[in-house]
Structure formats: structure tokens, C-alpha cells
Amino acid sequence: MSKYLITIGLETHVQLKTNTKMFCGCSLKFGEEPNTNVCPVCLGYPGALPVMNREAVKLTVMSGLMLGCEISRLSTFDRKNYFYPDMSKDYQISQQARPLCLGGGVTIQTPAGPKRVRINHIHLEEDAAKINHYARFSGVDFNRCGTPLMEIVSEPDLSSPDEALAYVQALKQILVYAGVSDCNLEEGNLRCDVNISVRPEGQEQLGTRAEIKNMNTFKGIYAALEYEIARQLATVARGGVIVQETRRWEPDLGETQSMRSKENAHDYRYFPEPDLVPVALASEQIAAWKALLPELPSARRERMVAEYGIPEYDAGVLADAKENADFFEAAVRLCSPGLGKTVSNWFMTEVMRQLSVTGKTISECPLTPAALAELVELVDKRVINGPTAKELSAELFENGGMPGVLVAKRGLGQVSDSGALEGFVEQAIAANAKSVEDYRAGKKAAAGFLVGQVMKLSKGKADPQRVGILVAEKLARLA
Ligand code: ZN
Ligand code: MN
């Protein structure tokens, strides 16, 4: 069998973080009683008139700017006509002829190096209602109907499930950074339609594609792509023909199933929405929104490496979630110069461990950047030792407060005074003659045991480095 090339393109629907719906003033609070946040506009009553949500336009333009798109100075809304029980007015208000954003792209990391995935366009539209299926009936919840969605349509630049996943994750990270969406997959804030085709190597024209609709888990996207690629390759291998169709991913069965033969754009009979005026954006307006943009995650990683002297790996972990990077930077700026790597170590080990144990995000914890900075300083200045700092960090994470206060209140400062430490060393050696014997017989590990004994005698407050030196000196004298 000749070699086949795989082509994947994604249409990603992202729920915008607005308080109200796309064309009416209904609330978008998640998890309300079904059909309580509704009005004649989003229920699709005949004659009800839509009014555009300006905030949704702003958030879409900001997304477009983050993704390097060209922003349309004039965009228009169109009706996409189709019949489905989740859309009572029988059309969706969307953008087809003149979408808000054109071009742009996302850079992903692949084993072969960075790869630019181009974006064709981003358009703004409204979501449909949600159909819930029960044992004996189905119900339609119109609370979701009219939710502002931006649809980000990629070019078919992806060639494996890994690349597709990297693309969605990079996209999600950028949008969360921009603050335009929570991109909460469980709440359906981010849903992907995936187009897949295969073609023999050397063939220019893309093969016939199948589309898998509406996936909202990373795992699902990956598994569906793997399945669908294998299905198409097996079909062509036995001389079969791929039909253009829309398929659905069935996670329980681990397979895609045909839903319907795919419509083409003309099947929707798009035409200009007569109830809405075009969106005209002044360049001053676009510039004002541009000024609100945060740094891109990739730019932030590079800057953190340069500014704080932390390794690229650390910068990647820290910048993964914007609030972690914000916390780290706030802490490191309160520390003496040169402690960037130390702060990063504390954050990546102790803090992130606590976050994963408690399942919390950093903004949900009482630990403050100032407290972490002070803790790092206390260790660096050898006021407290590592084990004491670890205990304190757990406590600060849980209850907040400042470490300096706790250290003073409880007398946790480490003992580095030579007189006191030497006393402990004498005691430890006197009580452990066997270890001294072992050391003399060449068992160097015995020194470590003695250091441990000294730490115990000091109730954990001794400076372990000093103790190490003192024990070594003492043993050398005895040898
Ligand atoms: Zn409404
Ligand atoms: Mn759409």
C-alpha cells in the first residue's frame, strides 16, 4: 500500500465571557433551572428583534488580535438556515460573507520543531439551545440558546492527532490569557468540529473529508481522530470510497458513527440578516482594544527566562496558567535579585504539589506572593532551614499569614551558633559510639546518620549545612 497523507482542520467554537446573550439581555449564568433565562428573542418568537452585544464583538476582536488576525473594519451578520429542534426560529445568526477576523494563526510545538497552523477566519454567532435526552422523552433547554460563540476556523494544516491536540491546547491557553473565555471544556465553553481526509502521497488535491461534530474533551478529540484516520485508511486500502458526511464520536463505543451526509454551504441558503446593521469598527476603537491585550504565553515564557534567569522548562511550567505566572512574577519581584530560580523551585515543587493535592487554583488559596517571597528570603538568609520552611509553606498555603511572624512567634529560627551546635555534635557522638566505629571502618554514610541525630537534638532547628561541616571536622579529628 502506498503511503497516505493525513489532513486535519478544526472548527473551534468558543463561548465568550459576556454576562448576557448575543442578541438579547438574558443572563448567561451556568447551571440555572432550564428555560428560566429566556425571552422572546432567544426563544425565537416571530417578530422579536435582535440587538447585538458589543462586548462579544470586543472579545472576538481581542482574540483576533492575539491570534495575529486582520480585523475587518466592516463585518456583517448572515442567516444560516436549517431546521433542528434546538433552534426554534429555524435559522442561526452567524457571519459568512464578512466575518470579523481574517487570517492569523497559532504556533504549535512538534517533534520536528515549531509549526505555524494558519487560521482562515473567526466569525461570531449564537449558540443553539441544549437538548437533554431522558428515558422516555427529550427536553429542550433554551438557557443556552443565544450564547455568544466565536468560531475559529483553521486551515487544514494539521497532520496528526498530536498536532490537533497541541493546536487546541495552544488556542485555549491564548484565549484564557486574553480573558475572552473560560474555555471550560466541562461546561461546553470550547467545542471542536474536526475535518479529516486522507490522500495518497503525491496527490495534490485533498481527499474527501468527513467531519466529526461537537467534541468537548481533549481525550475525545484525540481518540476520535485516531479512530477516524484508521477507518479512512482501512476504507481506501480495500478500494472503498470515503463519503462526505458528518459523523459523531461515541465515547462509550470508541468509534465514530455517521449522522448525515454533509451539507455544503449553499444548503444553508445563507443571506444577509435583515434585522442587524453591519458592524463598523473605527481604527481608534481597534487600537483601544489592542491596548488591553496581555502578553502572549510564548512571549511571556521568553521574557521570564531572560528577566529572572530561570530555565526554559521552568518558564514553560509557570506560564502554562496565567495566574501561576502572575503569582510567580509578583513573588520574584519582592525578592532580592538572583533568587528567580529559587522562587521557581519553591513554586514548582511545594506550591504546585499543594495545588494538585487540594485541586485548587492559586487564586483560591490564602498564600500570597509576599509570603512566598519572604519564605524564600528567610531560607536564603539562613534564618530558617529547609525542613522548617517546608512545614511553614504548607501552613501558609492552608491558612495564609506571613512566615516572618510565625518564625518569630514560635522561635523557629535555625541554630547556627557554633557553640550550641558543637554541644549537640558532642552529645550525638557520645551517644552513638557504634556510628563512629562504622565511620572509621570506612562507612561514610555513618556521618549522615550523626547529622540526623544532631538535627533531632536541635528539634529540627539546626542549620544542616553547618552541622555537616562540624560533624565532618569532629570525625576527622577522631579518626
Ligand atoms: Zn433572551
Ligand atoms: Mn458554527
Side-chain angles (χ1 to χ4, degrees), residues 81 133 148 218 221 236 260 267 321 327 330 360 385 414 443:
N81 297 277
H133 299 286
F218 289 136
I221 293 167
V236 293
R260 55 177 186 259
D267 295 321
F327 188 98
K360 286 183 179 168
N385 61 29
Q414 68 184 351
K443 283 191 193 159

Side-chain angles (χ1 to χ4, degrees), residues 21-27 37-44 142-143 145-146:
K21 294 187 181 180
M22 188 62 229
F23 299 115
C24 62
C26 290
S27 160
N37 292 328
V38 292
C39 75
V41 173
C42 54
L43 284 169
F142 278 81
N143 284 355
C145 196

Side-chain angles (χ1 to χ4, degrees), residues 92-415:
Q92 176 191 30
I93 305 179
S94 182
Q95 295 191 301
Q96 201 235 2
R98 288 166 167 271
L100 253 181
C101 310
L102 298 168
V106 174
T107 301
I108 59 168
Q109 301 304 324
T110 74
K115 174 173 176 175
R116 186 77 174 160
V117 182
R118 291 167 303 154
I119 289 172
N120 178 283
H121 75 270
I122 306 177
H123 66 259
L124 191 51
E125 62 186 30
E126 56 177 341
D127 205 352
K130 190 171 191 320
I131 302 182
N132 296 310
H133 299 286
Y134 304 97
R136 295 183 189 284
F137 67 100
S138 296
V140 188
D141 179 5
F142 278 81
N143 284 355
R144 196 181 75 181
C145 196
T147 300
L149 296 180
M150 68 177 166
E151 181 172 336
I152 303 170
V153 180
S154 85
E155 294 289 356
D157 285 348
L158 300 154
S159 46
S160 70
D162 285 307
E163 288 187 10
L165 202 63
Y167 167 79
V168 185
Q169 283 168 338
L171 197 59
K172 175 182 167 181
Q173 193 178 52
I174 292 168
L175 298 174
V176 170
Y177 256 73
V180 300
S181 172
D182 292 329
C183 292
N184 188 330
L185 279 77
E186 293 76 43
E187 292 182 10
N189 288 178
L190 191 148
R191 308 190 307 257
C192 288
D193 300 343
V194 183
N195 289 297
I196 308 140
S197 64
V198 297
R199 69 179 196 276
E201 197 168 30
Q203 179 184 312
E204 194 69 18
Q205 201 195 349
L206 293 182
T208 305
R209 65 171 202 266
E211 182 179 29
I212 312 170
K213 275 275 183 210
N214 236 349
M215 287 175 291
N216 69 343
T217 63
F218 289 136
K219 219 174 113 196
I221 293 167
Y222 194 90
L225 279 170
E226 274 198 318
Y227 176 88
E228 185 59 20
I229 290 164
R231 185 189 72 86
Q232 293 193 12
L233 289 176
T235 303
V236 293
R238 61 164 189 269
V241 174
I242 309 286
V243 271
Q244 186 181 336
E245 62 183 351
T246 301
R247 300 178 71 87
R248 158 185 35 217
W249 170 242
E250 290 291 344
D252 298 337
L253 301 175
E255 59 183 43
T256 62
Q257 290 179 346
S258 182
M259 284 167 77
R260 55 177 186 259
S261 67
K262 171 66 183 175
E263 309 83 352
N264 282 306
H266 60 254
D267 295 321
Y268 292 114
R269 202 175 67 94
Y270 279 98
F271 64 83
E273 167 60 56
D275 292 338
L276 288 162
V277 293
V279 182
L281 293 173
S283 39
E284 294 79 24
Q285 178 64 83
I286 297 171
W289 288 338
K290 193 170 190 171
L292 302 173
L293 296 181
E295 206 174 12
L296 274 172
S298 54
R300 186 163 198 173
R301 285 193 290 271
E302 281 172 32
R303 182 179 55 75
M304 293 206 306
V305 168
E307 204 171 323
Y308 309 120
I310 56 173
E312 247 167 73
Y313 173 80
D314 293 35
V317 173
L318 293 165
D320 197 40
K322 180 168 179 288
E323 57 175 356
N324 288 350
D326 289 345
F327 188 98
F328 165 77
E329 288 204 62
V332 90
R333 282 177 183 157
L334 293 168
C335 285
S336 317
L339 288 177
K341 177 60 185 153
T342 317
V343 177
S344 153
N345 285 346
W346 276 94
F347 192 91
M348 291 191 356
T349 54
E350 287 310 302
V351 180
M352 286 182 93
R353 189 177 55 77
Q354 307 266 21
L355 290 175
S356 92
V357 168
T358 55
K360 286 183 179 168
T361 62
I362 190 71
S363 54
E364 293 165 343
C365 302
L367 178 74
T368 61
L372 182 65
E374 194 172 278
L375 190 72
V376 169
E377 288 283 347
L378 289 170
V379 180
D380 188 62
K381 303 224 160 68
R382 317 186 69 122
V383 177
I384 53 174
N385 61 29
T388 304
K390 246 182 217 178
E391 265 170 51
L392 282 178
S393 87
E395 196 174 332
L396 297 166
F397 185 91
E398 180 112 8
N399 308 319
M402 290 301 282
V405 176
L406 297 175
V407 168
K409 204 159 77 186
R410 298 187 200 154
L412 295 174
Q414 68 184 351
V415 182

